[in-house]
């Protein structure tokens, strides 16, 4: 069974010639396979797994919104944080890559980029999710407007902090939705 109940918004900005633009991210629960995807050994308790997808809504006047992700950290309320700093993403043809780059406009609505798939984690409370981004280089993270001009993406820090979640013994899947249409402002 898939569960998830966290919904929140956090800012990400990119600088534009006439002002700053705001990009909000929401951590939304998704849906999953609907059954225990673990092995059939009933004597061994199943470990929960965590799946994370990225998606966005449609925004017509932008050509690209490219983000380079360096690391995903799941912060623990107690215990060590879980740091994901290598990525195997079939859709991007990446195997054990140190980072990954994607265009948000390629993943709109139900289209999602699966960046973490069925990562086995300890049950318990994870106090936050931190996305570390390459925002210092306009060649890595940027917005390309309809006139082909590039604008850098900026944040208050080098990443985005999202609220946490509680992982039970079930399969849980979440989607971070970069909600451009409602948050970009000129």
């Amino acid at each position: 069974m898939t569960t998830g109940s966290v919904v929140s918004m956090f800012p990400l900005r990119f600088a534009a010639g006439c002002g700053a633009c705001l990009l909000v991210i929401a951590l939304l629960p998704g849906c999953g396979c609907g059954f225990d995807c673990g092995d059939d050994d009933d004597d061994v308790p199943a470990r929960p797994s965590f799946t994370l997808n990225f998606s966005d809504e449609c925004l017509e006047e932008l050509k690209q919104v490219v983000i380079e992700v360096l690391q995903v950290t799941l912060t623990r309320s107690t215990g060590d944080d879980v740091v994901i700093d290598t990525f195997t993403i079939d859709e991007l043809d990446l195997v054990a890559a140190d980072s990954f780059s994607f265009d948000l406009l390629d993943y709109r609505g139900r289209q999602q980029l699966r960046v973490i798939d069925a990562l086995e984690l300890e049950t318990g409370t994870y106090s936050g999710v931190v996305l570390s981004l390459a925002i210092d280089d306009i060649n890595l993270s940027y917005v390309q407007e309809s006139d082909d001009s590039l604008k850098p993406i900026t944040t208050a820090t080098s990443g985005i902090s999202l609220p946490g979640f509680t992982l039970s013994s079930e399969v849980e899947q979440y989607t971070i939705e970069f909600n451009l249409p409602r948050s970009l402002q000129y």
Side-chain angles (χ1 to χ4, degrees), residues 35-100:
F35 57 88
D36 183 23
C37 299
D39 61 25
D40 294 328
D41 187 359
D42 292 334
D43 297 328
V44 179
R47 288 185 58 137
S49 68
F50 174 78
T51 298
L52 181 65
N53 301 299
F54 285 1
S55 178
D56 194 24
E57 293 183 42
C58 180
L59 192 64
E60 302 300 328
E61 55 272 358
L62 297 180
K63 287 187 173 181
Q64 289 185 310
V65 179
V66 176
I67 297 176
E68 178 86 14
V69 178
L70 304 173
Q71 179 174 294
V72 176
T73 303
L74 308 175
T75 56
R76 296 286 316 245
S77 298
T78 59
D80 294 332
D81 292 346
V82 177
V83 178
I84 299 110
D85 56 5
T86 58
F87 302 92
T88 297
I89 303 173
D90 293 338
E91 191 168 336
L92 300 178
D93 295 325
L94 296 177
V95 177
D98 292 336
S99 65
F100 68 95

Side-chain angles (χ1 to χ4, degrees), residues 12-16 19-25 56-65 104-105 142-145 151-153 178-186:
L12 171 69
R13 295 180 181 89
F14 71 90
C21 298
L22 179 65
L23 167 65
V24 176
I25 299 176
D56 194 24
E57 293 183 42
C58 180
L59 192 64
E60 302 300 328
E61 55 272 358
L62 297 180
K63 287 187 173 181
Q64 289 185 310
V65 179
L104 282 170
L105 301 182
Y142 58 87
V143 173
Q144 182 182 14
E145 295 184 325
K151 307 297 181 194
I153 291 177
F178 296 76
N179 196 341
L180 293 173
R182 285 186 254 165
S183 60
L184 290 177
Q185 300 171 3
Y186 288 91

